[in-house]
Amino acid sequence: MRKFLMAGALGLLLPAMASAGEYNITVDRVMIDTGDFVKEGIGYNGASPGPVLRFKEGEIATINVTNNLDEMTSIHWHGLILPYDQDGVPGISFPGIKPGETFTYEFPIVQSGTYWFHSHSGFQEPDGAFGSIVIEPEGREPFRYDREYVIQLTDKHSHSGDRIMRNLKMMPDYYNRQQQTVGEFFSDASANGLMSTIQDRMAWGDMRMMKADVEDLQGFTGMINGMGPEQNWTGLFEPGERIRLRFINSSAVTYFDVRIPGLDMTVVQSDGNNVQPVTVDEFRIGVAETYDVIVRPKDAQAYTIFAESMGRSGYARATLAPEEGMESTVPEMREPARLTMADMGSMPGMDHGSMDMSGSPEMSGMDHSTMQGMDHSGMAGMDQGSMATSQEVPSDPFYAKGSGLVPTAANGGKFLSYADLKAQNPLYEDREPTREIELRLTGNMERYSWSINGVKYEDADPIRLKYGERVRFKFVNTTMMTHPMHLHGMWSILDVGAGEWNPVKHTVSVQPGTTVYMETEVDAPGQWAFHCHLSYHAAAGMFRKVIVEGGPDSTQAKADVAIEEGGDA
Amino acid sequence: MSRIRSLVVVSLLGAALIPTAVAAQEMIADTTDRKQPLTSWGMQFEELEYRYSDDDEELGVWSADFFYGTDDLKVRWLSKGEYAIEEQAYEGLENQFLGQVPISDFFDAKAGVRFDTPEGPDRTYAVLGVAGLAPQWFEVDANLYVSNEGETSAELDAEYELLLTNYWILSATMDATVAFSADRAIGIGKGLVSTETGLRLSYDLVDRAFSPYVGVVHERKYGDTADFAEADGGGTEDWFAVIGARIAF
C-alpha cells in the first residue's frame, strides 16, 4: 500500500526536492463494531477509521482514491494547504468521485503536523469515512518525543447520518436525554428556592430554549482509533519515555474534554501548527480540531485516556500502558452541563442591560451545574465582579461570562483555554487586516435550521475575497450551540490577543453568546468551502462558498468576477 | 524564519497552480444536493390506542401525521380515526392534506382540505390553520374549517409534555371544537361543540420511535350538539381508559 520506501529510494537517485508519497485508498462499505453495537458504515481500505497517511514536508503527495460505493464520494484533506481543485469538496473543488471511478489527488505537501481527511459527500463522514494524516517536518521540531500515537476520536451512533438528520428535523430533541425533569425542578427548588426556580423555568420557557441543549446527538459510543470504551485501544510505552499523542476529533457533532488522570499533558501543537508549550491537566477538543500533546509517564502502570463529551452524555476511553492488557480505572462522567442565560447573551431580542447576573436564578443554576467538585461554600452570594477575579471560579475569555459551558479540570488543575494558545513560530507577518467581515452564526433549534447571517447555503451568495488581502472575520454566535467554524484552503489566525503570536488554526470554535475574531491571509486562489463542522449544522445550511478573486496568475477568476459583485454572505 | 516558510508555501503553491490556472477560470458551480434545500420527512402516530369507556364501549383510535418537505414548504397528511369495535363502524374518520409554510420562528401557517368520511354523511372542508410551539412549551394547533355545506367551525388543540424523567413522560392534551353554525346532519350544534381532554403516561422504549402508554381520556359534548346526541340516543359524556403507543419513524 505504502510506496514511501520505493519513493524514498527513487529520491536518492533524483536530486529533485520532492520524493513522492503515494497512497492508494479504496472507499468501502465496512462493518463498524463499537463494542456496544455493530453497524454498517463507510471506511477506507476496508476499515473505519481509515489509514494513517504519512507524508514528509516538501514532497508531492499522490493519492489514488477508488470509489467502491454505489454513490458519489470525495476526500477532503482537512487543514492541508493545497490547490483548490485538490481540496475534495464536491460542487466547489471538483465534481466528486463517481461509483467505480478512481480519482488521483496530487499536491505538494507544504506544511507539517497532525491533520486528518474525510469524505465531504453527504453523511459519509459521520458514517465512518475518515482517517488521519501525519506530516513529518523538514526541519527539527522544537520538542522531543520517543514515541507517537494518533488518537482519533469519534462519536459513533447506531443510526446512520441520514437518519440522524431526519430525526433532528422531525424532533430537534430526539436524542436529548438530559432535559430538565420534574425531579430536577424539585432539587433546584430546594437548592435555590421555589420562586427563583419557577422564574428560571418561566424565563427559559418563554424563549422556548432548553438549558440542556448542549449536544444535538446523544446515545453515541465514544471511539478512539476505532475502538469503543470496552475495546480499550491501548498504546504501549516504556516508563520515562516521552509520548506524543496526536489528538484528532473526527466526531460528527461531539466536543470532548480530554484528560489522562495521573499525567500532565504538554500541548505543543494545535491544528497542525506548533504552539508555545503549555502544560495542562485537561483540554476540550472541538469537532475537527487537532491537539498534539506530550506526556511522560514515569511509572510502569497503566493510564486511562478519558474523553468525556462536553455535555457528559458519553465518553471515549483508551489506555497507555507498559504492557498489553493492563488497564487503569475509568472515571465516572461528571454532571451534565447546563446552559445559562449568559450563553443566550446575544440572542435576538434580549436586553443586555437588564441582565443582572448576580441575583438571577440563572446564576444559581450555574453554581449548581458547572462547579462540581469545587468549594460550594465560598460561592454563595457571589457576584459577577468577584467572579472575574476569583481563582476558583471557572472563567475563560472564549466563553460568555457566567456561561454554563466553561470547562474545569476534573482534578481542579489547569484546563486549556484558547487564550493559552500562542504560535511557536508565526506563519505570517503580523499586519493590519484590510477589512472585516461579520458572520453571525444563526439558527433555530426548534426547526433545526442553521445558517450564517440568517441565510442558509442554498440561498447564499458566495463570500468574495481578494487575493493578497488580510481579512478579519468576526463571528457572532447568536445561537445557544457551539460552532466549530472551518475555512478550507487558508489558515485561520485566531485572535487570542497575542498579536503576532496568535495561533494559526484551521477550525475555530465559537461558543454560544460570544464573539470571536480570526484573520486570514488570502493567499490561495480558487473557491473554497467555509462551514460549521458539526455535520448536521453544515447540512442544514451553516455553510458558505468562498471565492478568492485574483492571484499570482492574474488572468484567473476574472471571468468569475463579471458574474456578480458582492463581498459578504 | 516564518516569513521564509510562508514564502516557500506561496512559491510552491504558485508552482503547483500554473497548470491549474486555466482550470481556475472555469470554477465549477455547486449543483450538488448541499446547494439544494434540505428535504426531510417523518411519520408519527401521536396516538394509536385502544379505548374502553365507562359505558363498556370499545374504540380503536389513531391520530397520525406524515410530512415531507423543506424548511420553507412542507406537505402534511393528518389522519384521525375512531373505530367502534362492536359496531364495526367509524364514529370519526378524517384526513387532512395540507401545505405548510413558516410564518414566525415558532409557528407555521397551513392550508388545505379535510375529508370526513365516517359512518353517516361525509363532509369536505377547506382548512386554514396555524401550528407551532407557544411560550412555556405548549404545542398548539388552531384550525378554521369551512364545509362544503357552507358551515364554519374552529378547532383548538393544545398539548403539554411533563418530563417525569427523560423517559417517563406525562402528556396532557386538550382539544376543543366550536361551530359558528349548525350542521344537524352530522350532529353539530352552534356554539361549543365538544372537548376531548387526555392524560397519558408514556415510556420511551425504543428511542423516540416506540413509546407505549396508558391514560385516561374524557370526551364531552355541549349545548345543541349534546341535545342532538341525546335525541339520537347517544351519550354526551364519556370517560375512557386508554392503552396504546406513540410511534415515530
Side-chain angles (χ1 to χ4, degrees):
Chain A
M1 233 170 293
R2 185 160 170 240
K3 307 229 168 81
F4 189 76
L5 279 178
M6 194 189 79
L10 271 172
L12 288 176
L13 300 173
L14 300 168
M17 62 142 227
S19 56
E22 183 166 352
Y23 285 95
N24 296 313
I25 292 179
T26 58
V27 189
D28 307 306
R29 296 233 167 253
V30 297
M31 295 311 285
I32 297 170
D33 180 2
T34 67
D36 294 331
F37 56 87
V38 180
K39 67 170 290 195
E40 196 189 78
I42 295 175
Y44 294 124
N45 294 346
S48 173
V52 182
L53 304 185
R54 288 179 185 272
F55 299 106
K56 191 163 191 322
E57 186 177 2
E59 70 183 356
I60 303 278
T62 306
I63 308 151
N64 307 303
V65 179
T66 302
N67 182 3
N68 291 335
L69 307 176
D70 54 7
E71 61 191 53
M72 296 283 281
T73 194
S74 57
I75 295 183
H76 165 59
W77 316 100
H78 188 112
L80 296 201
I81 300 300
L82 37 63
Y84 87 90
D85 57 0
Q86 300 297 304
D87 195 47
V89 181
I92 295 182
S93 325
F94 74 146
I97 310 170
K98 292 196 190 89
E101 218 176 62
T102 298
F103 181 88
T104 299
Y105 289 89
E106 194 175 71
F107 50 85
I109 298 286
V110 298
Q111 64 204 113
S112 63
T114 305
Y115 301 92
W116 62 299
F117 62 96
H118 59 83
S119 168
H120 224 285
S121 301
F123 295 109
Q124 291 174 359
E125 180 216 305
D127 289 346
F130 56 82
S132 53
I133 298 172
V134 171
I135 307 173
E136 189 190 326
E138 275 177 326
R140 271 192 52 195
E141 285 177 299
F143 44 83
R144 289 190 299 124
Y145 55 93
D146 305 299
R147 199 187 270 271
E148 53 154 333
Y149 291 110
V150 167
I151 305 288
Q152 195 163 23
L153 292 151
T154 195
D155 52 354
K156 185 53 60 188
H157 200 281
S158 58
H159 292 172
S160 71
D162 277 320
R163 171 115 186 261
I164 291 167
M165 183 84 240
R166 201 169 66 70
N167 282 337
L168 289 170
K169 281 305 249 188
M170 182 165 64
M171 285 183 243
D173 65 344
Y174 192 98
Y175 296 100
N176 192 339
R177 297 293 183 179
Q178 291 179 342
Q179 298 179 41
Q180 291 189 299
T181 60
V182 171
E184 188 169 331
F185 177 85
F186 285 115
S187 61
D188 283 3
S190 72
N192 309 322
L194 181 64
M195 281 321 288
S196 82
T197 304
I198 290 173
Q199 277 170 16
D200 172 64
R201 295 302 193 273
M202 297 288 279
W204 287 84
D206 198 47
M207 295 191 300
R208 287 155 279 187
M209 302 270 177
M210 292 194 294
K211 274 186 174 185
D213 209 344
V214 176
E215 291 177 339
D216 289 346
L217 182 68
Q218 298 175 10
F220 58 85
T221 298
M223 311 264 284
I224 287 178
N225 298 341
M227 295 197 183
E230 297 307 313
Q231 296 162 330
N232 190 22
W233 179 89
T234 300
L236 299 181
F237 68 87
E238 300 282 344
E241 280 183 329
R242 287 189 175 81
I243 313 166
R244 176 182 191 171
L245 301 173
R246 301 171 180 269
F247 285 93
I248 303 167
N249 188 355
S250 299
S251 295
V253 282
T254 303
Y255 278 57
F256 285 102
D257 291 350
V258 180
R259 66 187 198 261
I260 308 175
L263 293 181
D264 289 342
M265 299 181 283
T266 301
V267 178
V268 295
Q269 192 181 92
S270 174
D271 290 5
N273 291 295
N274 292 335
V275 296
Q276 296 173 22
V278 50
T279 299
V280 300
D281 295 282
E282 195 168 344
F283 66 93
R284 176 167 289 176
I285 184 166
V287 171
E289 286 185 315
T290 75
Y291 286 95
D292 286 35
V293 308
I294 289 176
V295 295
R296 193 176 188 186
K298 296 205 174 64
D299 303 323
Q301 64 162 90
Y303 296 89
T304 297
I305 300 174
F306 191 65
E308 56 186 324
S309 72
M310 178 165 75
R312 314 289 182 237
S313 69
Y315 66 90
R317 169 248 187 163
T319 298
L320 295 176
E323 278 170 53
E324 203 65 60
M326 289 177 71
E327 57 179 53
S328 182
T329 53
V330 180
E332 293 285 309
M333 282 196 288
R334 287 164 284 184
E335 288 294 306
R338 291 278 184 250
L339 299 174
T340 68
M341 282 292 167
D343 295 306
M344 304 286 129
S346 47
M347 298 296 301
M350 289 231 6
D351 177 4
H352 284 243
S354 72
M355 287 177 63
D356 170 20
M357 301 305 291
S358 54
S360 70
E362 300 81 68
M363 265 318 263
S364 17
M366 179 194 151
D367 304 318
H368 180 66
S369 61
T370 63
M371 304 199 181
Q372 297 298 323
M374 302 202 52
D375 181 12
H376 282 229
S377 58
M379 301 245 161
M382 231 178 52
D383 65 3
Q384 195 65 30
S386 65
M387 266 194 75
T389 52
S390 168
Q391 283 271 308
E392 289 209 64
V393 173
S395 87
D396 181 322
F398 283 86
Y399 291 79
K401 267 212 169 85
S403 165
L405 297 175
V406 183
T408 53
N411 66 356
K414 169 73 181 163
F415 201 107
L416 182 74
S417 163
Y418 268 0
D420 299 320
L421 298 177
K422 310 270 190 295
Q424 172 75 247
N425 202 356
L427 282 185
Y428 299 97
E429 196 180 341
D430 192 32
R431 60 165 174 151
E432 281 298 304
T434 47
R435 64 173 164 141
E436 181 176 293
I437 295 178
E438 179 171 316
L439 300 175
R440 281 177 303 110
L441 309 179
T442 45
N444 181 331
M445 187 66 198
E446 272 308 308
R447 295 184 184 279
Y448 208 78
S449 71
W450 302 100
S451 52
I452 293 173
N453 293 340
V455 181
K456 287 178 280 190
Y457 180 54
E458 67 207 53
D459 301 317
D461 292 330
I463 298 172
R464 290 173 183 277
L465 307 180
K466 303 239 177 329
Y467 183 87
E469 67 178 339
R470 180 181 175 115
V471 174
R472 184 169 172 86
F473 288 102
K474 178 186 186 181
F475 295 115
V476 182
N477 189 350
T478 71
T479 76
M480 74 302 203
M481 305 227 63
T482 307
H483 302 288
M485 300 304 294
H486 172 47
L487 172 62
H488 291 219
M490 290 165 280
W491 289 113
S492 300
I493 305 166
L494 172 65
D495 188 351
V496 301
E500 66 174 314
W501 306 107
N502 279 335
V504 179
K505 291 173 59 59
H506 51 59
T507 307
V508 166
S509 271
V510 188
Q511 297 295 335
T514 65
T515 297
V516 171
Y517 296 89
M518 72 173 205
E519 293 180 9
T520 292
E521 287 284 352
V522 181
D523 58 0
Q527 54 184 10
W528 305 95
F530 189 9
H531 58 96
C532 173
H533 218 281
L534 304 183
S535 295
Y536 309 108
H537 289 196
M542 199 176 253
F543 193 105
R544 281 295 184 274
K545 179 164 87 172
V546 169
I547 294 178
V548 176
E549 292 164 350
D553 178 355
S554 59
T555 58
Q556 68 188 339
K558 265 190 183 160
D560 211 69
V561 181
I563 299 170
E564 208 174 354
E565 256 314 295
D568 52 14
Chain B
M1 271 172 298
S2 61
R3 235 171 289 170
I4 293 168
R5 184 173 165 194
S6 62
L7 275 175
V8 169
V9 168
V10 170
S11 62
L12 273 173
L13 265 178
L17 275 166
I18 292 164
T20 60
V22 178
Q25 277 181 310
E26 41 203 67
M27 291 192 291
I28 58 172
D30 193 349
T31 54
T32 59
D33 286 349
R34 188 187 289 288
K35 191 62 180 159
Q36 303 306 312
L38 182 73
T39 50
S40 196
W41 62 273
M43 176 127 193
Q44 290 181 61
F45 280 87
E46 198 61 39
E47 294 165 13
L48 181 61
E49 66 195 23
Y50 166 83
R51 292 187 183 178
Y52 186 85
S53 84
D54 51 351
D55 289 337
D56 299 333
E57 191 188 10
E58 290 175 88
L59 294 175
V61 173
W62 76 85
S63 171
D65 173 358
F66 173 83
F67 77 89
Y68 174 85
T70 66
D71 285 344
D72 295 328
L73 177 65
K74 286 185 182 67
V75 291
R76 224 171 187 115
W77 169 30
L78 303 175
S79 177
K80 281 186 190 176
E82 280 193 18
Y83 183 75
I85 293 168
E86 205 154 304
E87 291 85 348
Q88 299 191 335
Y90 282 102
E91 288 192 359
L93 181 58
E94 70 170 70
N95 286 283
Q96 294 190 26
F97 298 91
L98 303 159
Q100 188 172 331
V101 295
I103 51 169
S104 73
D105 280 354
F106 295 100
F107 280 90
D108 285 349
K110 47 189 190 165
V113 285
R114 163 182 154 193
F115 301 103
D116 280 19
T117 54
E119 196 72 8
D122 294 349
R123 286 290 179 271
T124 302
Y125 300 84
V127 185
L128 203 61
V130 289
L133 184 67
Q136 309 305 334
W137 306 103
F138 287 93
E139 292 267 6
V140 297
D141 187 348
N143 293 288
L144 200 63
Y145 303 110
V146 182
S147 79
N148 55 336
E149 304 286 315
E151 317 300 346
T152 52
S153 56
E155 188 178 2
L156 177 73
D157 244 320
E159 183 182 356
Y160 185 82
E161 288 190 345
L162 187 67
L163 271 60
L164 303 178
T165 73
N166 266 291
Y167 292 86
W168 286 101
I169 297 170
L170 188 64
S171 70
T173 56
M174 203 280 291
D175 181 298
T177 305
V178 175
F180 301 110
S181 49
D183 188 345
R184 179 66 183 90
I186 55 169
I188 301 290
K190 192 177 170 183
L192 181 59
V193 174
S194 61
T195 56
E196 182 183 308
T197 319
L199 204 57
R200 293 174 180 81
L201 177 66
S202 65
Y203 182 80
D204 289 345
L205 199 61
V206 182
D207 298 328
R208 295 193 197 272
F210 183 69
S211 312
Y213 61 77
V214 294
V216 288
V217 170
H218 175 242
E219 275 184 9
R220 190 173 161 192
K221 295 184 171 73
Y222 300 84
D224 290 349
T225 309
D227 294 343
F228 296 154
E230 274 175 346
D232 295 343
T236 61
E237 190 173 359
D238 280 305
W239 283 94
F240 296 96
V242 306
I243 181 165
R246 225 176 34 233
I247 291 169
F249 51 87

